[in-house]
Amino acid sequence: MTLLPSRLSLNTVTVREQWSLEQCIDGCIRHGFGGIAPWRHDLHDCGIDTAAKLIRESGLKVSGLIRGGFFTADGLTVSDAVIDDNKRAVDEALAIGADCLVMVVGGLAKDTKDLHGARMAVAHGLHELMIYARPAGMPIAIEPLHPMYAADRGCINTMRQVNELCDELGPGVGAAVDVYHTWWDPNLEREIEAAGPNRLMAFHVCDWLVPTRDLLLDRGMMGDGVIDLSLIRSYVEAQGYTGLIEVEIFSRDNWWRKDPDDVLETVIRRAKEFV
Ligand code: ZN
């Protein structure tokens, strides 16, 4: 089905080098986007109350707040500081009316090689967070990251792991499915099906460039890479996902250098053609 701009949400990282949050909101409205997905530092730069007011008045939906997590930042025992910061992230997500708070869970603890321990710490941190987030009514969306980030960003790397965590943690927690992180997974369709509608909380698109020149900052515009985007969209929509399709492109050497209005026009055109 052809994607209208009203189905799209702009993850503000896509024009991070060009626009402030205020400019992103204006840009989304100008181009007819249905939603926006800000980062916490956007809210802090703008002031949370001001950001919440601007977003509310814009009529844009918020497909997610990026991001909580990093449970292993202070070691394999999740610190109070980390939990408190995640609770603040929940409060901020509530303030802006976000559909979910996206979790980048954290990688190995500093100076360790204990991947299993890191995963145990993440499960523990999420458990602690859910005690706060569940009664507050803020859905927590775990974003499985591509395994190349297991050491430094996220040690939850597949939808299978997310489903297992969700089974442990109970309601209110689900997945943010980002094609960049999940496209390679031979079990993707099966695990998206296992997640089902309640756990599919966000869907992020961009493309995988060949070659990829930077592990973090060289994501492609939809259509410039090798991901079968419409196929993965069909997996999530087969489960009843009707939420926004969030465009999230980290691109230091290309899209961050372009006129942001051109970037948004390109996003709309490519989403229609390739997603
Ligand atoms: Zn993402």
Side-chain angles (χ1 to χ4, degrees):
M1 204 169 66
T2 306
L3 260 191
L4 298 173
S6 57
R7 256 318 278 294
L8 296 176
S9 173
L10 178 71
N11 185 307
T12 58
V13 83
T14 305
V15 287
R16 175 181 100 174
E17 298 299 313
Q18 302 102 313
W19 276 350
S20 66
L21 178 63
E22 293 91 328
Q23 289 170 307
C24 285
I25 292 169
D26 289 345
C28 283
I29 294 168
R30 206 160 52 243
H31 292 273
F33 278 55
I36 192 165
W39 287 58
R40 289 183 72 198
H41 60 76
D42 295 326
L43 306 185
H44 301 165
D45 290 348
C46 179
I48 291 161
D49 292 343
T50 308
K53 182 168 178 287
L54 289 173
I55 290 170
R56 203 166 47 242
E57 288 172 359
S58 74
L60 292 169
K61 295 181 197 132
V62 181
S63 55
L65 175 63
I66 327 296
R67 63 194 180 193
F70 284 93
F71 292 107
T72 48
D74 293 335
L76 289 175
T77 305
V78 182
S79 70
D80 290 346
V82 165
I83 294 296
D84 287 347
D85 187 57
N86 274 281
K87 288 178 179 173
R88 278 196 296 279
V90 167
D91 294 341
E92 291 165 13
L94 288 165
I96 62 169
D99 288 346
C100 61
L101 173 62
V102 174
M103 287 285 128
V104 172
V105 297
L108 293 172
K110 194 163 174 277
D111 301 326
T112 77
K113 298 181 181 180
D114 189 354
L115 187 55
H116 178 71
R119 287 173 172 152
M120 297 285 282
V122 165
H124 175 72
L126 283 166
H127 177 79
E128 292 292 305
L129 181 61
M130 290 315 296
I131 295 170
Y132 186 78
R134 192 176 288 121
M138 178 46 60
I140 298 297
I142 304 167
E143 184 161 1
L145 294 200
H146 191 284
M148 67 181 171
Y149 302 118
D152 59 349
R153 284 191 168 72
C155 60
I156 303 301
N157 307 106
T158 63
M159 277 298 292
R160 171 85 180 254
Q161 285 175 286
V162 173
N163 279 323
E164 286 170 355
L165 270 172
C166 290
D167 289 343
E168 271 174 46
L169 291 163
V173 59
V177 178
D178 186 323
V179 296
Y180 197 71
H181 298 302
T182 59
W183 70 278
W184 58 273
D185 182 351
N187 296 317
L188 184 58
E189 183 179 16
R190 189 189 316 161
E191 292 300 329
I192 285 175
E193 201 179 304
N198 290 336
R199 287 182 186 170
L200 294 172
M201 294 178 172
F203 181 50
H204 300 172
V205 297
C206 64
D207 214 335
W208 183 281
L209 298 176
V210 179
T212 290
R213 293 161 302 176
D214 185 283
L215 296 188
L216 186 63
L217 303 178
D218 194 28
R219 293 193 188 198
M221 176 66 68
M222 295 79 76
D224 286 343
V226 296
I227 302 178
D228 192 336
L229 297 163
S230 57
L231 181 68
I232 301 178
R233 179 185 169 202
S234 77
Y235 296 164
V236 296
E237 294 193 343
Q239 297 310 312
Y241 181 79
T242 55
L244 291 164
I245 294 175
E246 182 177 318
V247 177
E248 182 187 20
I249 304 173
F250 295 69
S251 174
R252 184 185 54 206
D253 297 329
N254 189 4
W255 299 101
W256 285 355
R257 292 168 180 250
K258 294 199 189 301
D259 178 299
D261 280 299
D262 291 346
V263 176
L264 267 59
E265 273 174 30
T266 308
V267 162
I268 290 169
R269 209 171 53 242
R270 298 293 191 84
K272 259 187 202 142
E273 193 174 349
F274 295 102
V275 184

